[in-house]
Amino acid sequence: MRALNISIVGATGAVGAELIRLLEVSRIPVNRLRLLASHNSAGRQVRFRDQICFVEALDQIGDLETDIAFLCAGSALSAEWGPRFAAQGALVIDNSSTFRMNPDVLLVVPQVNPSVLSDRPRRGIVANPNCSTIQLVRALRPLATALDVYQIIVTTYQAASGVGRMGIDELRNGTRAALEGSPAPPAARFPVPLPFNVIPQVGDIDSEGVTLEELKLAQEARKILAMPDLRLTSTCVRVPVENGHSEAVYIEFEKPVRLEQIHELLAKEAGVRLYADGIRDGYPTPRFLANPEDVHVGRVRVNPENPRGLWLWVVADNLQVGAALNALLIAQLAIANSVIGEK
Ligand SMILES: NC(=O)c1ccc[n+]([C@@H]2O[C@H](COP(=O)([O-])OP(=O)(O)OC[C@H]3O[C@@H](n4cnc5c(N)ncnc54)[C@H](OP(=O)(O)O)[C@@H]3O)[C@@H](O)[C@H]2O)c1
């Protein structure tokens, strides 16, 4: 296939930087890589393969022609620029929540619902799901496909990097200040200071007391798994971890399950790393994740008080599995299905 023109909007952010890194080592042939961000970053240099790329200010670019536009700069910019790139023929892969629940827009996790991306999507836009959704559905897929699920209850433990570069800085600076005995800097990216704290709120809270993140987790999982009636409820929590989201997932099935059967289903799922024996294999933790391109599943156990109930501990790198890698895999799937790159 011919080499592609690729644009990354939000190239200097946490997700954008990870995407550049993954694209560099991927097999996607790149003709021109265009890195776009705000005025503050214009002129910055980034090495990509054998080229030096200069970051450009998004609102200064003249032509929008590109084969793929990855949008990683937040909802407002996605809403404005997604349709504009798509109108110029690009396949837009959007990391924000802007289009995810739009019935005309595909929401894709290539390991879970690849078949939905067989043709160019009507609006030219594919949505990348929320970070906590991606790791959840990748762990759920083999179980929900083989067994009837009654309900799912999730508690998330989400890292500071989930709100981007400034979230990481706020955690680091606040932690340093606390250790030095200085007054806590005011919280900007989190509802209250995150260092040495745990915050039971990720996103705005609606009139029913549910946060945006909790809503997204349920709605997006139903769409990706094509299970519109799935009962899924969660509490999403921010924890003072720099990177890597963890989830305690309780799945209640319609019928009793056996641990060996669950192990077998998870062990053969590509891209899922199973820690089958908690004593011998240990369990995954976000700080020490070997193979950050995988979804890590440990603490697998049947509820001793209800043989229909199963607990999982699911950990993944939110910037990689939960954002940049999924976006890149969507691009690779689109290329393989000739959705782009053959004009
Ligand atoms: N972080 C995660 O784990 C995660 C996971 C899934 C999805 N997402 C989504 O991915 C997107 C990016 O998140 P992030 O965590 O990478 O955020 P981030 O670290 O805050 O990066 C934001 C990026 O947007 C750029 N930007 C800001 N204002 C701009 C403007 N007016 N014009 C052009 N570019 C502008 C920034 O450029 P400057 O450097 O010039 O300011 C930066 O490159 C968001 O939609 C987020 O919801 C994030």
Side-chain angles (χ1 to χ4, degrees):
M1 75 170 299
R2 68 183 174 84
L4 300 176
N5 294 329
I6 294 183
S7 301
I8 300 179
V9 177
T12 52
V15 174
E18 190 65 22
L19 188 54
I20 296 169
R21 197 184 64 73
L22 293 173
L23 182 62
E24 167 139 32
V25 296
S26 78
R27 292 196 177 162
I28 297 179
V30 179
N31 177 46
R32 181 177 70 159
L33 177 65
R34 236 172 154 188
L35 303 180
L36 302 158
S38 78
H39 283 265
N40 300 335
S41 309
R44 257 176 62 181
Q45 295 182 18
V46 177
R47 174 170 283 286
F48 176 78
R49 295 183 182 164
D50 55 356
Q51 328 168 12
I52 296 285
C53 304
F54 289 89
V55 175
E56 299 171 75
L58 177 64
D59 60 6
Q60 303 267 297
I61 56 167
D63 78 282
L64 295 183
E65 219 168 284
T66 187
D67 294 297
I68 304 175
F70 291 102
L71 304 188
C72 332
S75 294
L77 290 169
S78 289
E80 182 186 348
W81 291 85
R84 291 176 67 179
F85 275 105
Q88 295 302 311
L91 181 76
V92 172
I93 300 175
D94 182 40
N95 276 286
S96 80
S97 57
T98 308
F99 304 105
R100 289 179 191 151
M101 293 316 298
N102 184 320
D104 283 344
V105 173
L106 303 175
L107 185 62
V108 181
V109 178
Q111 296 88 345
V112 179
N113 61 343
S115 59
V116 296
L117 186 55
S118 49
D119 295 308
R120 183 176 162 84
R122 207 162 70 78
R123 297 183 53 176
I125 300 174
V126 181
N128 205 30
N130 184 33
C131 40
S132 27
T133 308
I134 294 174
Q135 67 186 75
L136 178 68
V137 296
R138 283 186 52 187
L140 282 180
R141 194 210 74 85
L143 307 179
T145 306
L147 304 163
D148 290 331
V149 172
Y150 174 71
Q151 66 167 343
I152 300 174
I153 300 169
V154 183
T155 304
T156 69
Y157 304 79
Q158 300 185 218
S161 65
V163 295
R165 225 179 35 208
M166 282 159 73
I168 300 174
D169 290 347
E170 191 170 318
L171 175 63
R172 283 190 186 167
N173 296 338
T175 304
R176 197 173 301 119
L179 289 172
E180 287 166 355
S182 313
R189 303 293 287 190
F190 306 108
V192 295
L194 184 60
F196 302 100
N197 208 356
V198 166
I199 308 173
Q201 179 186 352
V202 180
D204 291 341
I205 300 183
D206 72 12
S207 56
E208 292 180 327
V210 176
T211 67
L212 187 58
E213 189 83 353
E214 290 154 4
L215 204 64
K216 289 192 239 176
L217 200 58
Q219 291 180 336
E220 293 179 19
R222 288 182 192 124
K223 182 168 174 176
I224 298 160
L225 293 165
M227 295 172 71
D229 301 323
L230 179 67
R231 293 182 194 89
L232 193 157
T233 181
S234 66
T235 300
C236 291
V237 179
R238 187 77 63 191
V239 293
V241 165
E242 187 165 301
N243 189 45
H245 289 354
S246 307
E247 297 175 346
V249 181
Y250 184 71
I251 312 170
E252 194 174 339
F253 295 95
E254 292 284 357
K255 297 195 177 133
V257 288
R258 284 178 305 105
L259 191 59
E260 302 71 41
Q261 172 191 28
I262 300 293
H263 280 168
E264 213 173 282
L265 290 167
L266 288 169
K268 60 182 191 217
E269 183 71 3
V272 168
R273 170 137 195 251
L274 173 67
Y275 300 60
D277 181 334
I279 296 168
R280 192 192 59 220
D281 306 330
Y283 42 77
T285 62
R287 188 166 163 202
F288 302 106
L289 267 192
N291 306 94
E293 67 283 4
D294 288 339
V295 173
H296 298 251
V297 181
R299 298 292 323 276
V300 183
R301 60 206 191 276
V302 176
N303 180 355
E305 299 184 10
N306 175 1
R308 295 188 295 117
L310 179 81
W311 279 105
L312 307 175
W313 173 249
V314 181
V315 182
D317 180 330
N318 50 293
L319 292 177
Q320 202 171 140
V321 165
L325 179 61
N326 201 71
L328 195 76
L329 292 175
I330 291 173
Q332 285 174 333
L333 181 63
I335 293 166
N337 290 349
S338 301
V339 173
I340 37 174
E342 299 301 328
K343 59 184 181 190

